Amino acid sequence: MVVIVVSFVVAAVAMTVTALVARRIGRVSVVDVTWGIGLTLVALVALLLGDGDLWRRWLMLALVALWGGRLSWYIFRRQRAHAQEDPRYAAMLGGGGFAVAVRKVFLIQGVAIWFVSWPLQVAGFSSVWSRPLVWLGVALWVVGVVFESVGDAQLAAYKADPDRGPVMDRGLWAWTRHPNYFGDACVWWGLWLVGSLASGWLPGLLTIAAPLAMTYFLVFATGARLLERTMMQRPGYPEYAARTSMFVPLPPRRAARR
């Protein structure tokens, strides 16, 4: 189908351009800026080339563009303020050069953009089977965006506080060590509901690997687990980790009595 093929080409071009920019500035982490932009471009392809319900194609583009635009802008501003390479990617590359970055980062993330965007592509060429599932997905998307944006704002306020403690454990961060990653997962499960499951049980089952893969990346591959390796070396973080859920928000655990 045209939407599927063109989406793959768009993801490949986006990552090729990003790899060239990364080589020029000497920082692989610029790929995180492209993530939201690339997925928004796929949603645009589904809108322009698809023949599914027009209102849902516009809805999908709006949801992805709002999420992706906010995320890319936030990451861009953060990276502009800190010129160093992200420790996650430095550990992943292990001192390797550009060829290693292409193989371990840009190639994988290009395929990932195309893969996790399956719900966007399905919405491009299918009709709505269940409107309640669409609005349930939108509600879950809202939960995810709130967790991401509020978590990021709370972290920025913590960093700007001269009297802050050694570890951010305020607000949402008292309930989960990674509210932004949890929010991201909610966004993509919401989009799966809107674009895939709302199109029917078969499209939902055939594409459920997309939000599962996104969740895996957020928790294990390039997200929480990888970041934890660095954070555990910071004073106070192991104690914070012992009382705070890593991913799913849960009430803080009480410190064990000695």
Side-chain angles (χ1 to χ4, degrees), residues 16-17 24 34 56 60 85 120-121 131 179 195 213 225 228 230 244:
T16 300
V17 172
R24 181 173 181 179
T34 303
R56 185 171 60 162
M60 292 294 277
E85 180 63 276
L120 316 183
Q121 299 171 44
R131 288 196 178 219
R225 289 291 187 191
E228 292 268 304
T230 301
T244 309

Side-chain angles (χ1 to χ4, degrees), residues 173-186:
W173 299 82
W175 290 67
T176 167
R177 306 201 298 270
H178 303 282
N180 45 358
Y181 289 145
F182 172 77
D184 218 355
C186 288

Side-chain angles (χ1 to χ4, degrees), residues 118-137:
W118 279 359
L120 316 183
Q121 299 171 44
V122 168
F125 57 75
S126 64
S127 299
V128 173
W129 168 69
S130 171
R131 288 196 178 219
L133 285 175
V134 170
W135 303 123
L136 178 61

Side-chain angles (χ1 to χ4, degrees), residues 137-157:
V138 171
L140 186 56
W141 176 91
V142 170
V143 171
V145 170
V146 168
F147 261 85
E148 282 195 76
S149 55
V150 172
D152 288 340
Q154 290 176 342
L155 182 60

